[in-house]
Amino acid sequence: MSECISMDFDEEVDGDVIKAWFNKQDINYDTDTGVLSDGTSEAYLTVYSKVGNVFFREWNQPFPDFVFQFVFTHPCKMISLLSVDDRGYPDPTTASQFKYEDFCTILSSKGSDE
């Protein structure tokens, strides 16, 4: 079962700026599939510009580090973690919501435990 990260911002987001950020990190974005790739790791990206949402989904593997680097460097209002159902759609009944600061604190503490 794959997992998703949904980042909700207070305002519209610019998809081109977000894709350019990944490009500067040597992460390629495939416009046909929506997949971000550094050559070995991949994740799916959708930017909902008008509603201010950036959505990541695992793509055949756990989230690569570049997804978390984006999260840590782009403060937002809320972050939701959710799973994908049997049909491949995000399942809102599995969602856990966090304030951005709380999510980063949890993520940072998990990283230091490893």
Side-chain angles (χ1 to χ4, degrees), residues 31-89:
T31 56
D32 292 330
T33 63
V35 174
L36 293 165
S37 176
D38 66 2
T40 56
S41 300
E42 297 178 330
Y44 178 80
L45 168 71
T46 302
V47 178
Y48 300 100
S49 298
K50 296 289 184 195
V51 296
N53 182 275
V54 177
F55 181 85
F56 296 99
R57 178 176 168 183
E58 291 177 335
W59 193 257
N60 300 323
Q61 63 195 66
F63 283 119
D65 288 342
F66 61 75
V67 170
F68 298 111
Q69 291 167 348
F70 181 86
V71 170
F72 276 123
T73 58
H74 292 83
C76 62
K77 183 178 179 182
M78 297 291 290
I79 293 183
S80 298
L81 301 178
L82 56 157
S83 298
V84 176
D85 67 18
D86 294 337
R87 298 172 306 166
Y89 294 104

Side-chain angles (χ1 to χ4, degrees), residues 1-58:
M1 179 182 314
S2 64
E3 303 296 321
C4 305
I5 297 173
S6 177
M7 300 177 70
D8 293 316
F9 293 84
D10 278 334
E11 57 204 25
E12 288 186 23
V13 293
D14 187 333
D16 291 334
V17 170
I18 291 168
K19 293 168 192 167
W21 183 89
F22 282 106
N23 195 6
K24 288 179 187 173
Q25 314 304 314
D26 293 324
I27 310 299
N28 296 314
Y29 176 76
D30 185 320
T31 56
D32 292 330
T33 63
V35 174
L36 293 165
S37 176
D38 66 2
T40 56
S41 300
E42 297 178 330
Y44 178 80
L45 168 71
T46 302
V47 178
Y48 300 100
S49 298
K50 296 289 184 195
V51 296
N53 182 275
V54 177
F55 181 85
F56 296 99
R57 178 176 168 183
E58 291 177 335

